[in-house]
Structures are given as C-alpha cells and as structure tokens.
C-alpha cells in the first residue's frame, strides 16, 4: 500500500507513520529525518537544506523530490511505503504522481492527521527527539525515564533546532500556505481520509487502521 501522511507540523504524523509502517511491514520515509541525518553528517545535501529548515521554510522542490525519487527506487519500497512529510507542495505531489506512474503505481490513501493549530504549538514546544535512533519524547506527556537519556538507544535526547517558538510559527504559516492545498488535490483524486489527531496515540493508530480497513472493503 502506498500511503501519505499529511498534517500540520506537530500533528503526530511521524509517530503515526512509524507505528503504521511497523504494523504493515512497509518502510517509513520521512524527508525531515533524511535532511536531519544529512545535516548531522555535514553532506552537501545537508548544507543545502539547513538554512531553509532552520528558518521554518521548505527546502526547494527539486532538491526534496530527488531524495524521495532515489528512496522510492530501493527494493524495500516495492511492497509500499508510508511517506511522512512529503509531498508538502502541489508541484511535489505532481512529481510524485508522475514518478509512481513509471512503476505502474499510484497513491492509495492520504491520511490527513487533523489537529488544531493551538494544540500543535503546545505539542511542538515540548517535543524532544533522540537524533541517534529517532525516538520521540515530550517534556510533559512522555519524558525520557532518565534525565535526557534515550530509553531505546541511550543516546542524548534533545530539542530540534526548528522546534523553537519562532520557527514553529513560521512552519505553521508555511503549512497553511503551501501544504494545505494538498487536501483539495488528494480529495479530488478520491484518496483523502481525515483522521482526528487529538487524544491518545494508540487510539489514533487504531482509528487509522480502521480507516484503512474500511477503504479496502
Ligand atoms: P519534518 O521533520 O517533516 O517536520 O521536516 C522538517 C523540515 O524539513 C521542514 O520544516 C522543512 O524545512 C524540511 N522538509 C521536510 N520535508 C520537506 C518537503 N517535502 N519539502 C520541503 N521541505 C521539507
């Protein structure tokens, strides 16, 4: 199954995408994670992307699409994928559609994780991540058991640079201007499913699984 996770920054796309990819046995592809690894390793891609990311802006479409195109060509994507954070613009969605046609495939479902802006601002400002293994934590609702040590890999848990208050405001603005139009784009294609992203993480996951099962009937 070829799946896209859509939603405002902080809606819980990443967490739900990881859970869904484990459940379905298909890869989780996060463009944000790919950029962060490249920034950490100081690659050319990382250098090209860092400034945009730190300002809460989108990395240009051609740069972003190229990394997705390469990733989709890998063997593990044959059974499907969960795309998290891509596409974020209409041109990206069009490039993705054209790329999938080459494989005789199309996006099966777009899950729009719906959370009000006021709630995501709160969530992001408390969000913590482990850069080593990608585990997510939250200062209030899900703190690491021991100080700032990741319970999964013992790495150091940090706040993402682009989760600072000013950058979050910019990222939410960018979402409304450039990414939200994708809701109309995929609704017209008949692949859009809205999921209420408020409440318990496990309950949201179950709602997603149910929505996918309902579509398969
Ligand atoms: P995320 O982890 O998905 O919130 O992404 C972090 C940042 O990476 C975003 O705020 C953008 O600056 C950049 N980014 C991730 N995915 C994309 C994309 N599809 N198009 C452009 N920029 C992206």
């Amino acid at each position: 199954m070829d799946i896209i996770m859509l939603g405002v920054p902080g809606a819980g796309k990443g967490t739900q995408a990881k859970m869904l990819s484990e459940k379905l046995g298909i890869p989780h592809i996060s463009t944000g994670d790919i950029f962060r690894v490249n920034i950490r390793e100081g690659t050319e891609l990382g250098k090209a992307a860092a400034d945009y990311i730190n300002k809460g802006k989108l990395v240009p479409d051609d740069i972003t699409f190229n990394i997705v195109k390469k990733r989709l060509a890998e063997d593990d994507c044959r059974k499907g994928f969960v795309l998290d954070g891509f596409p974020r613009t209409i041109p990206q969605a069009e490039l993705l559609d054209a790329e999938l046609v080459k494989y005789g495939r199309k996006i099966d479902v777009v899950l729009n994780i719906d959370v009000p802006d006021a709630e995501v601002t709160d969530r992001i400002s408390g969000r913590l991540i482990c850069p080593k293994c990608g585990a997510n934590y939250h200062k209030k609702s899900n703190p690491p058991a021991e100080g700032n040590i990741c319970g999964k890999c013992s790495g150091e848990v940090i706040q993402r640079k682009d989760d600072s208050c000013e950058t979050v405001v910019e990222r939410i603005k960018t979402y409304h201007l450039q990414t939200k139009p994708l809701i109309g784009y995929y609704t017209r294609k008949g692949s859009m499913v809205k999921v209420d992203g408020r409440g318990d993480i496990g309950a949201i996951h179950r709602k997603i699984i149910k929505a996918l099962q309902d579509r398969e009937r």
Side-chain angles (χ1 to χ4, degrees):
M1 214 178 201
D2 296 349
I3 301 171
I4 290 174
M5 285 281 179
L6 207 62
V8 71
K13 296 188 295 296
T15 303
Q16 293 299 333
K18 267 184 215 143
M19 291 168 87
L20 190 56
S21 103
E22 273 166 31
K23 169 92 183 166
L24 301 179
I26 53 178
H28 165 217
I29 304 172
S30 157
T31 40
D33 283 351
I34 296 172
F35 285 136
R36 280 184 286 279
V37 168
N38 278 275
I39 291 171
R40 215 170 49 239
E41 292 175 353
T43 67
E44 286 306 312
L45 172 65
K47 283 179 200 150
D51 215 32
Y52 297 101
I53 294 177
N54 292 338
K55 288 186 180 138
K57 306 264 184 221
L58 294 186
V59 178
D61 289 339
D62 54 340
I63 299 180
T64 310
F65 176 66
N66 267 331
I67 63 172
V68 173
K69 185 176 163 178
K70 263 198 218 148
R71 184 65 187 85
L72 292 181
E74 289 177 33
D75 277 351
D76 62 340
C77 290
R78 281 202 203 149
K79 280 199 302 181
F81 50 77
V82 184
L83 269 177
D84 160 19
F86 184 93
R88 264 179 154 102
T89 64
I90 298 275
Q92 288 181 12
E94 290 170 343
L95 286 165
L96 174 64
D97 284 347
E99 186 64 18
L100 290 176
V101 166
K102 294 183 193 163
Y103 295 92
R105 286 158 68 166
K106 66 173 182 50
I107 292 298
D108 295 300
V109 59
V110 179
L111 294 160
N112 178 24
I113 313 297
D114 192 42
V115 178
D117 286 359
E119 189 169 328
V120 294
T121 315
D122 238 34
R123 284 190 194 184
I124 299 183
S125 55
R127 184 158 74 174
L128 299 168
I129 62 156
C130 171
K132 206 167 138 198
C133 75
N136 289 310
Y137 297 91
H138 191 279
K139 285 177 195 167
K140 283 188 216 152
S141 59
N142 178 29
E146 225 183 285
N148 57 352
I149 304 298
C150 175
K152 289 193 181 143
C153 75
S154 303
E156 189 192 352
V157 168
I158 56 156
Q159 181 176 47
R160 269 168 53 174
K161 209 170 171 185
D162 62 338
D163 278 350
S164 69
C165 286
E166 317 79 68
T167 316
V168 167
V169 171
E170 191 58 36
R171 285 166 65 201
I172 293 175
K173 224 164 51 187
T174 303
Y175 166 80
H176 284 284
L177 266 174
Q178 292 182 268
T179 307
K180 212 172 170 188
L182 289 174
I183 295 177
Y185 179 88
Y186 286 115
T187 301
R188 286 189 289 280
K189 289 184 176 286
S191 37
M192 176 60 70
V193 173
K194 183 165 145 180
V195 178
D196 187 344
R198 291 170 299 178
D200 176 68
I201 287 172
I204 299 165
H205 174 66
R206 288 189 290 279
K207 275 192 272 183
I208 289 175
I209 298 298
K210 174 147 190 327
L212 294 180
Q213 286 166 347
D214 288 349
R215 273 185 75 83
E216 280 190 336
R217 282 205 191 111

